Amino acid sequence: MNSTTSIQRATNATNPPLEAVFIVFSVFSYGVFHLPKIFSGLDSVADASVISAPLFEKVMSKYSLAYTRLAIGMFCVAVTIYRFRKKGHSIVVPYLKHSKLKRRPINLDGIRSQIMFTQWSFNLLTISFLLNGLITLSIAYKEEHNGQELEFLKPLVSKASLRCAILLFEIAAPVSMLVSS
């Protein structure tokens, strides 16, 4: 009888309350319903000239902006690869005194070095810098060569990739500030 009640308690503990399911479903439905409005507002901002325009045009050309973004992105890729290859370290999460969770070391080797929120935000920033750098490079090349585009960079000037670049930066910038403070 005792084992039956413990199984029932464990089963009940894994099912979320109906109120929580309703709230999550409502918020998700609201977001999906308003997605076209979000994308229409995003299309007004997701323009190649907005992404590729340097803030101080007299100081920095589009090419130097593109190469700076690509250099920062490649540096971040190198740091991530270094973390993959480096022998990681172990951390032990400090639980509360009366917690039933077991203290075990968490090894941060190889792919496990990517589990921390800090690394996720770093990787988002890396992808954002690389994508924005490639888009800027493509636009600068097109302007300099009378509308001729580099074949391998053509897909980057599509509306979908411009949306993705804006969304990535809009997510990566605040998350990086959150992590750094």
Side-chain angles (χ1 to χ4, degrees):
M1 184 99 138
N2 193 9
S3 64
T4 308
T5 55
S6 65
I7 291 173
Q8 286 175 347
R9 272 192 235 133
T11 306
N12 291 337
T14 59
N15 295 331
L18 288 177
E19 297 86 11
V21 172
F22 177 73
I23 289 172
V24 169
F25 181 74
S26 300
V27 170
F28 179 75
S29 299
Y30 180 80
V32 169
F33 179 73
H34 289 295
L35 209 54
K37 291 179 189 175
I38 293 169
F39 279 135
S40 68
L42 186 63
D43 285 341
S44 65
V45 179
D47 187 33
S49 61
V50 172
I51 293 174
S52 64
L55 190 57
F56 304 105
E57 292 184 25
K58 293 179 182 176
V59 177
M60 181 178 275
S61 68
K62 286 187 180 184
Y63 272 114
S64 57
L65 176 64
Y67 291 134
T68 302
R69 287 176 174 171
L70 288 172
I72 292 170
M74 291 308 294
F75 175 76
C76 294
V77 167
V79 169
T80 301
I81 291 172
Y82 174 75
R83 287 203 55 178
F84 263 29
R85 299 188 55 127
K86 181 183 151 197
K87 172 115 173 75
H89 60 280
S90 295
I91 61 170
V92 178
V93 179
Y95 297 119
L96 296 174
K97 290 181 180 180
H98 300 294
S99 175
K100 293 181 181 180
L101 297 171
K102 296 182 180 180
R103 293 175 196 251
R104 293 193 180 161
I106 301 171
N107 296 325
L108 300 177
D109 292 339
I111 192 75
R112 285 188 226 115
S113 66
Q114 304 298 306
I115 64 173
M116 298 297 184
F117 182 73
T118 306
Q119 193 62 35
W120 280 73
S121 65
F122 187 76
N123 291 340
L124 271 176
L125 208 55
T126 300
I127 295 168
S128 176
F129 271 114
L130 290 174
L131 184 60
N132 287 328
L134 288 172
I135 290 172
T136 305
L137 183 64
S138 175
I139 298 300
Y141 184 87
K142 185 177 180 181
E143 287 177 1
E144 188 175 289
H145 292 89
N146 298 327
Q148 183 182 4
E149 293 183 74
L150 293 170
E151 284 300 317
F152 72 98
L153 292 178
K154 249 184 190 177
L156 292 177
V157 191
S158 70
K159 208 60 168 167
S161 66
L162 294 174
R163 282 181 190 161
C164 186
I166 294 290
L167 283 174
L168 265 174
F169 182 74
E170 290 290 327
I171 293 169
V175 165
S176 298
M177 287 184 220
L178 175 69
V179 167
S180 66
S181 58

